[in-house]
Amino acid sequence: MALIVSLPIGTPPQPQQMVLDTGSQLSWIQCNKKHPPPTTSFDPSLSSSFSVLPCNHPICKPRIPDFTLPTSCDQNRLCHYSYFYADGTLAEGNLVREKFTFSSSQSTPPLILGCATDSSEAEGILGMNLGRLSFVSQAKISRFSYCTPLRQNHDGKPPTGGFYLGRNPNSRTFQYVDLLTFPQSQRMPNLDPLAFTLPMTGIRLGARRLNVSAAFLRPNAGGAGQTMIDSGSEYTYLVDEAYREVRDEVVRLAGRKLKKRFVYEGALDMCFDGDAVEIGRSIGDLVFEFESGVQIVIDKDRILGDVGGGVHCLGIGRSDSLGTPSNIIGNVHQQNLWVEYDLANRRVGFGKADCSRSLL
């Protein structure tokens, strides 16, 4: 499930559907001229604050490290970008400047965005990581938070959660853990220095604390083992050493009911037929442990997610399937939880909530 927010962009504002992604930097909107265009395609000709970055702009230089592929000049001497994501999806178009206009008295200065003319996605992306070109960095936002709703919604409507830019009125109840930070001079081939890196210390399943060395839950000398929290990743991914411990324990507790030779979306292979609540109770709660005694607890009654056809899976895959030696806490394990990114104090806070009742 993607976390989708609607934000007013341009002058006058055009509402744009964007996926909230704390794992990426570049924000981009749909400027697709295909017929029919995406439902929230942005029309630059209707905005008086829209401008396109020319090739001679400092950002438009080959091999700039802010993008996964170099920027380039197109035939119109405009700055062209291509952006690849870990799941293999691609967005490309021109880099532009545009305002986010929240009200007649409240708007951002023009921010650098992508104006995607070719994308396989229906929505744009709101890039929220620590990079200098992310939305939060450019808009100088010191904290933000979101509340991911449960996927099941019995009335058939898409579930809705909550999103704050700025202070969250619920934050007094949050538990905070300091982010791990890395000096810019500390270049590691497998490290994403712009990610929100958490100091994970262990994993529990049911009554047992798994035998996962903390060395595999934080970056080694080459950056492998980094644990990041990512709103843009649906599932959680673990490095092999941690994943094997989780899977072995699941097999020990509920192996007879495991669906053999079944892998969902090329990533999830701990899947079951049968009563998901009953199987979940035989496995127990899933707990991710962090420094300062902070925990993310996934209750045994919802440890398995419905993937269709009567099949339910534990939402954990091998990070090898993404080609990255990192641990990623995806939004499936952030449900019914306020997650606050306090950039000023370099920390992340967690607070239990019924996200379907959260303010939007």
Side-chain angles (χ1 to χ4, degrees):
M1 183 175 76
L3 309 186
I4 298 172
V5 295
S6 181
L7 292 177
I9 298 178
T11 311
Q14 301 174 44
Q16 295 296 297
Q17 301 284 307
M18 305 178 80
V19 175
L20 181 68
D21 187 2
T22 60
S24 68
Q25 175 171 205
L26 181 69
S27 297
W28 55 266
I29 51 179
Q30 290 282 2
C31 298
N32 209 317
K33 294 185 172 65
K34 289 179 181 175
H35 295 285
T39 50
T40 59
S41 187
F42 182 82
D43 187 344
S45 68
L46 300 180
S47 175
S48 61
S49 50
F50 179 89
S51 63
V52 183
L53 262 63
C55 282
N56 60 4
H57 191 281
I59 283 174
C60 198
K61 291 180 178 178
R63 304 186 184 283
I64 187 164
D66 287 318
F67 302 119
T68 48
L69 282 180
T71 50
S72 60
C73 275
D74 66 15
Q75 64 268 31
N76 298 316
R77 303 291 300 162
L78 300 177
C79 190
H80 183 87
Y81 74 92
S82 297
Y83 205 97
F84 269 110
Y85 293 88
D87 63 3
T89 55
L90 165 73
E92 62 179 328
N94 291 115
L95 289 182
V96 303
R97 284 186 183 275
E98 185 56 288
K99 291 182 176 182
F100 287 69
T101 308
F102 297 104
S103 69
S104 58
S105 60
Q106 194 173 25
S107 66
T108 69
L111 309 182
I112 294 173
L113 312 169
C115 197
T117 52
D118 190 7
S119 165
S120 56
E121 304 302 306
E123 297 87 15
I125 293 283
L126 189 66
M128 301 287 276
N129 75 4
L130 294 168
R132 66 190 178 96
L133 293 179
S134 73
F135 173 74
V136 284
S137 294
Q138 291 191 77
K140 295 181 170 53
I141 290 167
S142 62
R143 65 175 67 192
F144 66 93
S145 53
Y146 55 79
C147 200
T148 304
L150 296 178
R151 281 153 172 70
Q152 301 91 342
N153 200 327
H154 302 299
D155 59 11
K157 296 177 182 175
T160 56
F163 179 50
Y164 282 101
L165 291 173
R167 183 184 170 275
N168 186 318
N170 306 286
S171 63
R172 65 188 180 280
T173 65
F174 295 172
Q175 286 188 306
Y176 289 91
V177 60
D178 290 338
L179 291 166
L180 296 179
T181 56
F182 310 94
Q184 285 192 326
S185 58
Q186 192 177 355
R187 292 286 178 198
M188 304 181 215
N190 295 307
L191 183 85
D192 180 354
L194 306 181
F196 292 98
T197 303
L198 300 180
M200 187 153 72
T201 57
I203 302 172
R204 287 209 326 266
L205 201 54
R208 185 164 173 243
R209 194 172 197 267
L210 302 182
N211 186 28
V212 181
S213 168
F216 297 117
L217 303 178
R218 60 177 61 210
N220 63 16
Q226 177 180 20
T227 296
M228 57 189 88
I229 185 164
D230 183 2
S231 66
S233 174
E234 180 171 7
Y235 300 118
T236 290
Y237 296 88
L238 299 175
V239 297
D240 266 1
E241 293 81 4
Y243 180 86
R244 281 197 303 268
E245 286 291 326
V246 172
R247 196 177 196 285
D248 287 351
E249 184 67 1
V250 168
V251 168
R252 188 181 74 81
L253 295 168
R256 288 184 299 109
K257 297 176 182 177
L258 200 65
K259 192 171 176 65
K260 302 293 190 291
R261 293 180 294 280
F262 180 87
V263 181
Y264 181 69
E265 292 191 348
L268 309 184
D269 68 352
M270 291 181 278
C271 300
F272 302 84
D273 289 315
D275 186 328
V277 172
E278 179 189 326
I279 297 167
R281 288 174 179 171
S282 69
I283 295 172
D285 295 347
L286 170 65
V287 182
F288 298 105
E289 300 176 331
F290 305 94
E291 287 181 357
S292 305
V294 174
Q295 299 180 337
I296 295 177
V297 180
I298 297 89
D299 187 88
K300 55 185 174 294
D301 288 343
R302 56 180 183 86
I303 193 175
L304 299 178
D306 186 353
V307 299
V311 179
H312 293 78
C313 298
L314 191 72
I316 297 179
R318 281 186 172 88
S319 57
D320 272 2
S321 66
L322 299 178
T324 176
S326 305
N327 303 294
I328 301 170
I329 308 295
N331 66 52
V332 70
H333 293 132
Q334 300 174 47
Q335 295 176 79
N336 267 0
L337 201 63
W338 276 113
V339 183
E340 182 183 74
Y341 298 74
D342 181 352
L343 304 171
N345 295 301
R346 293 278 176 160
R347 60 182 188 167
V348 172
F350 300 99
K352 290 182 180 179
D354 179 351
C355 294
S356 65
R357 298 179 184 275
S358 300
L359 291 175
L360 283 173

